[in-house]
Amino acid sequence: MNHEVSCPLHAVVPRPMSVRPRPETLVLDADTTIAGEEDTVRWFRETVGGATGLPLRETGDGDITFRITPGEIHGPESYRMSITPEGVSVRAHDPAGAHYAAQTLRQLLGAGAWRESVVRTGPWPLPCGELEDRPRFSWRGCHLDLARHFLPKREVLRFVELLAAHKLNVLHLHLTDDQGWRIEVPGLPRLTEVGAWRSGSQLGAGPTAEYLARPHGGYYTSEDLIEIVSYAAEHHITVVPEVDVPGHCQAAIASYPGLGTAPHRRLDVWTGWGVSEHVLNAEESTVDFFRRVFDHVVSVFPSPVVCVGGDEVPATEWENDRRCRERSRELGLSEPAALHGWFLRRMAEHLRDRGRRALGWDEILDAGQELPPGGIVASWRGEEGGKRAVASGHDTIMCPEQEVYLDHRQADHPGEPVPVGYLRTLEDVHAYDPVPPDMPSGSAHRVLGTQAQLWTEHLDSASRVDYAAFPRLCALAEVAWLTASARNFAEFHRRLATYHLPRLEALGVEFRPLDGPHPWQTRPGVPGKPR
């Protein structure tokens, strides 16, 4: 048994801030008992007990204890753990901290503790030591695009488990776009009867991309989404929903043509990738339509933050449509393009009136209207949007495409499937720091954190999502938890290869091997578009 406690602990879950190893070993066996914080105890017994076969009977004072002591452990999501030959004692600031401590124990038990059922019997040793752990950022997220390619509910629930295993705490669900509408809205049935389905899909990227004439679609009922939200909450993950307006709306306009700038035109749900020129009109009836949509969204998602999108909004249709030009003048706007900011502000104010904060992509800073107080900017076109947001008194999430878009290619390997976007290796992701060096120290608190992005134009299955996400999402999780000075790529790579990839294998994650894709993970003949 290796007694170097920091070694088996994969830092993404993460590496302790202070570790004091001991030479002894604690052995968990059929007589080991557990006690303390109810939800953590239940999760540990069901998940780890189910994998190890340990009964883990509950008692008043167990061999493994999880206690919530906010006065003793300072900082949300933090915990202190002591492992001695006599047992495990966890003190946590809150239930989230207790859950992360339980995840750490699961790590220390090895890959066998990550399976769905027992594959070996006998005692389970734990290295002894003491550690303290707390996250650097409060927003440690991953964005998952369900509009381009729909994932069945079971795969979303599985993805929640994977985020929790890496101590990520935000799942940003992209639910609507030109290529699909994935959320049921009572009283607006065509959004899913029409908008959730398309006749085919673009295959690949670039000028030689092809067309796959295979219908695709799906949507989540309100009950599905409530289940996802509830399951995520059990894992201390907040689900942030996104309904994109006023661009990326072709699926909605295909469902209800009156939402568009040419109400008598019949559009199909888009089968291509990119930016559709079809945008919402600025009629009050369209504003009311999306107020109704967002009212349903906030009834399903308790998240204090709701994303309104706001990215990639071409003004061509507004500029060419007589009624939109007149409407912009009626509203006192300088030009039709300013309808972009006007529409977003109406949605953000509506969400504020419902007690929620609006999150938008960084184009909202260029849309001609100030964000209402409490608005959050997702800085994706680089870091400048985040710095501008902070300078204007707004919070930001740092998620630049040059750094943390995990659908972008991982190598220039000839077998890299559908190679698009920037080359971002595992080491590149691990080296990223969400707080730019030129940001004033007094403003750094407005960087709430970071999130990886998984856009699914070229990720058409759960296997492809696994391949794009892992192991780079492991590196991003370390970035979100640890300061740059506490990270070391060589150490991370060693821990990843030695300890954590076997855990992912036990979970059935189809990750990209460190030395390149398996032959069955390649996509021969499907063109990409590297940048």
Side-chain angles (χ1 to χ4, degrees):
M1 165 62 66
N2 188 335
H3 295 285
E4 182 192 355
V5 176
S6 63
C7 190
L9 278 177
H10 183 40
V12 305
V13 184
R15 187 168 64 93
M17 297 180 64
S18 64
V19 178
R20 291 184 294 278
R22 296 162 56 111
E24 303 95 342
T25 296
L26 167 66
V27 176
L28 305 185
D29 56 26
D31 295 324
T32 300
T33 59
I34 190 168
E37 202 277 321
E38 182 178 351
D39 290 339
T40 302
V41 167
R42 181 175 62 250
W43 178 85
F44 196 83
R45 288 189 70 214
E46 292 175 354
T47 305
V48 178
T52 60
L54 297 174
L56 296 174
R57 294 183 302 277
E58 292 187 55
T59 64
D61 188 15
D63 300 311
I64 302 173
T65 61
F66 297 91
R67 304 296 184 196
I68 307 301
T69 57
E72 179 183 345
I73 307 299
H74 301 289
E77 304 179 284
S78 60
Y79 66 92
R80 182 182 303 146
M81 181 188 300
S82 175
I83 306 174
T84 71
E86 288 72 44
V88 178
S89 174
V90 171
R91 297 293 182 267
H93 178 83
D94 48 28
H99 183 75
Y100 297 147
Q103 291 280 9
T104 298
L105 278 179
R106 185 190 188 192
Q107 284 185 303
L108 289 168
L109 287 167
W114 292 57
R115 295 189 175 275
E116 291 293 328
S117 191
V118 180
V119 297
R120 75 169 180 84
T121 59
W124 292 78
L126 278 172
C128 292
E130 297 180 8
L131 61 94
E132 290 188 23
D133 221 353
R134 65 176 180 267
R136 180 186 182 190
F137 294 108
S138 62
W139 187 296
R140 306 181 304 279
C142 186
H143 165 285
L144 181 60
D145 172 20
L146 300 169
R148 274 49 177 268
H149 278 103
F150 176 78
L151 284 176
K153 181 191 67 177
R154 67 178 180 275
E155 296 296 346
V156 180
L157 297 175
R158 171 179 168 272
F159 199 73
V160 165
E161 295 172 0
L162 291 174
L163 297 188
H166 294 83
K167 292 191 174 72
L168 296 169
N169 66 352
V170 175
L171 173 58
H172 178 165
L173 291 184
H174 188 76
L175 294 167
T176 72
D177 215 294
D178 299 309
Q179 298 85 2
W181 184 282
R182 306 296 178 216
I183 175 172
E184 175 187 60
V185 180
L188 300 174
R190 288 180 60 83
L191 286 173
T192 47
E193 291 173 356
V194 175
W197 311 94
R198 63 175 183 263
S199 59
S201 305
Q202 179 179 321
L203 181 62
T208 60
E210 302 173 12
Y211 175 74
L212 181 63
R214 183 177 68 192
H216 177 81
Y219 67 92
Y220 306 100
T221 67
S222 297
E223 290 77 11
D224 290 336
L225 293 171
I226 291 170
E227 180 183 358
I228 290 168
V229 166
S230 177
Y231 192 70
E234 293 173 6
H235 291 76
H236 300 278
I237 291 173
T238 299
V239 181
V240 173
E242 178 177 351
V243 172
D244 208 341
V245 292
H248 286 294
C249 285
Q250 186 165 328
I253 298 169
S255 305
Y256 291 95
L259 299 173
T261 60
H264 301 296
R265 176 179 56 200
R266 294 296 179 264
L267 296 175
D268 295 323
V269 178
W270 202 19
T271 60
W273 313 135
V275 180
S276 170
E277 66 178 9
H278 301 301
V279 297
L280 300 175
N281 64 46
E283 301 300 325
E284 202 62 31
S285 59
T286 300
V287 172
D288 288 341
F289 182 101
F290 276 92
R291 282 175 172 156
R292 183 174 178 181
V293 169
F294 280 110
D295 280 344
H296 178 63
V297 168
V298 299
S299 75
V300 171
F301 295 89
S303 166
V305 177
V306 175
C307 186
V308 297
D311 61 313
E312 298 177 326
V313 182
T316 306
E317 286 195 344
W318 291 331
E319 292 166 347
N320 293 336
D321 179 70
R322 177 187 58 81
R323 177 58 187 141
C324 288
R325 294 194 302 270
E326 291 176 355
R327 181 68 170 144
S328 68
R329 287 193 292 270
E330 290 171 7
L331 296 169
L333 303 176
S334 60
E335 57 180 340
L339 290 170
H340 179 188
W342 174 84
F343 199 103
L344 286 173
R345 186 172 179 90
R346 298 293 294 276
M347 294 300 104
E349 289 174 341
H350 185 70
L351 288 169
R352 182 192 60 193
D353 293 343
R354 299 297 184 271
R356 309 302 177 90
R357 302 178 69 182
L359 168 68
W361 303 106
D362 59 36
E363 285 95 331
I364 62 177
L365 295 171
D366 304 320
Q369 295 260 340
E370 281 293 322
L371 270 176
I376 303 172
V377 176
S379 189
W380 77 273
R381 293 178 296 176
E383 294 182 330
E384 287 306 311
K387 289 188 278 190
R388 288 173 57 196
V390 166
S392 61
H394 291 289
D395 292 338
T396 187
I397 310 300
M398 285 296 192
C399 49
E401 64 170 338
Q402 300 89 342
E403 307 289 349
V404 294
Y405 272 40
L406 301 188
D407 49 300
H408 288 195
R409 71 194 195 279
Q410 306 187 51
D412 280 328
H413 187 284
E416 197 67 27
V418 198
V420 297
Y422 296 104
L423 170 60
R424 282 300 170 262
T425 65
L426 180 71
E427 185 171 7
D428 292 332
V429 175
H430 192 265
Y432 178 59
D433 194 326
V435 179
D438 57 348
M439 180 170 287
S441 59
S443 301
H445 69 281
R446 289 205 173 274
V447 179
L448 300 182
T450 186
Q451 68 179 28
Q453 309 293 118
L454 285 166
W455 298 100
T456 61
E457 289 93 336
H458 312 294
L459 309 180
D460 55 4
S461 67
S463 295
R464 292 282 293 119
V465 171
D466 277 4
Y467 178 91
F470 295 101
R472 290 183 299 176
L473 189 58
C474 307
L476 192 279
E478 274 213 1
V479 167
W481 193 279
L482 297 172
T483 62
S485 61
R487 301 195 303 267
N488 177 283
F489 181 72
E491 182 202 25
F492 165 77
H493 191 278
R494 176 179 64 85
R495 285 182 278 110
L496 181 72
T498 305
Y499 298 106
H500 197 61
L501 292 186
R503 299 180 189 123
L504 296 184
E505 287 178 339
L507 282 174
V509 178
E510 298 185 61
F511 59 85
R512 181 188 188 274
L514 295 176
D515 57 356
H518 293 300
W520 55 88
Q521 292 175 317
T522 63
R523 296 289 292 270
V526 179
K529 189 180 180 182
R531 282 194 275 171

